[in-house]
Amino acid sequence: GQNIDQPTEMTATEGAIVQINCTYQTSGFNGLFWYQQHAGEAPTFLSYNVLDGLEEKGRFSSFLSRSKGYSYLLLKELQMKDSASYLCAVRLDYKLSFGAGTTVTVRA
Amino acid sequence: DAGVIQSPRHEVTEMGQEVTLRCKPISGHDYLFWYRQTMMRGLELLIYFNNNVPIDDSGMPEDRFSAKMPNASFSTLKIQPSEPRDSAVYFCASSSGSQPQHFGDGTRLSIL
């Protein structure tokens, strides 16, 4: 089975930094994805890690440690529009198994 | 470029009725995925296709659910007969090989 854990909720202030952790125990691993989902909308792709280390894309960065079964998504210079749910997903072959998502609320 | 297109966006029907959800993947994508999202269970993969062939349907909840992909530009997910517990948002996604999946806007299904 797949076990993917991430915090349920986080709150941060506009302009600040927030780190969303994701731990996983899965029967296989072909990469870890982060998706953003605004309320009532579709998930949209943010980042992808297949090797250990940090991937940076503008204000968003994602880190992976395969030996520890651990990833995090770092959101810098938070903006109000970053208020959303962030989903961690592990790929096995072509299947994605999603965590329950972390709801981030950005306050002024 | 057009993204993944799903229809209808909303569907409200009575239990026992047949429900058909439709999806047009991004042109050129060879993988198509059907997901269901609920508050209780989150986002779950139901079935996926590669080059129009079903590869893994282990997430399909029961025989009331069926999915087809008659060609590279169209897929359907059917529920017959529908039950209130089928109420959820159903997403279709597509990808090219191992590239990230792109999701459609979803169908919000309510079974009364």
Side-chain angles (χ1 to χ4, degrees):
Chain A
Q2 322 298 340
N3 189 24
I4 301 168
D5 290 318
Q6 48 182 132
T8 304
E9 295 180 326
M10 301 182 75
T11 301
T13 305
E14 196 175 14
I17 298 172
V18 69
Q19 177 174 316
I20 306 169
N21 296 324
C22 172
T23 58
Y24 62 90
Q25 291 177 305
T26 56
S27 56
F29 182 86
N30 293 118
L32 189 138
F33 292 77
W34 286 95
Y35 280 80
Q36 179 191 59
Q37 186 176 25
H38 285 99
E41 298 183 8
T44 56
F45 168 73
L46 285 179
S47 69
Y48 167 54
N49 296 73
V50 64
L51 299 176
D52 291 353
L54 188 68
E55 292 284 340
E56 297 188 82
K57 290 178 68 175
R59 295 189 298 113
F60 295 172
S61 303
S62 59
F63 172 84
L64 175 67
S65 169
R66 289 172 295 170
S67 62
K68 295 181 179 179
Y70 169 71
S71 173
Y72 68 72
L73 179 69
L74 196 68
L75 286 63
K76 294 178 270 191
E77 300 169 18
L78 279 173
Q79 303 175 8
M80 299 300 288
K81 67 178 181 179
D82 297 329
S83 292
S85 180
Y86 292 84
L87 305 169
C88 170
V90 174
R91 185 167 72 187
L92 174 60
D93 294 330
Y94 291 91
K95 296 170 57 170
L96 287 181
S97 293
F98 284 85
T102 299
T103 299
V104 172
T105 302
V106 181
R107 294 184 172 166
Chain B
D1 289 341
V4 176
I5 300 172
Q6 292 187 244
S7 64
R9 289 296 310 276
H10 302 273
E11 174 95 12
V12 180
T13 192
E14 294 186 348
M15 64 177 296
Q17 298 298 306
E18 177 178 290
V19 173
T20 299
L21 311 181
R22 296 172 175 80
C23 176
K24 176 179 170 57
I26 292 172
S27 178
H29 282 191
D30 53 349
Y31 284 85
L32 184 140
F33 306 82
W34 282 101
Y35 291 89
R36 177 172 68 176
Q37 187 172 37
T38 61
M39 289 294 293
M40 289 296 294
R41 300 175 66 88
L43 192 57
E44 305 173 281
L45 178 67
L46 300 177
I47 184 171
Y48 80 94
F49 296 81
N50 175 223
N51 291 325
N52 315 337
V53 176
I55 303 300
D56 188 330
D57 65 355
S58 59
M60 295 285 262
E62 49 198 273
D63 291 346
R64 297 185 298 105
F65 285 68
S66 63
K68 294 182 179 179
M69 191 166 186
N71 57 63
S73 59
F74 184 66
S75 177
T76 60
L77 178 68
K78 284 189 178 181
I79 309 173
Q80 168 63 20
S82 58
E83 296 182 5
R85 60 192 168 124
D86 302 330
S87 296
V89 181
Y90 291 80
F91 287 104
C92 176
S94 71
S95 70
S96 175
S98 61
Q99 294 301 305
Q101 296 177 22
H102 295 265
F103 284 74
D105 288 335
T107 295
R108 188 172 297 274
L109 178 64
S110 295
I111 309 297
L112 306 177

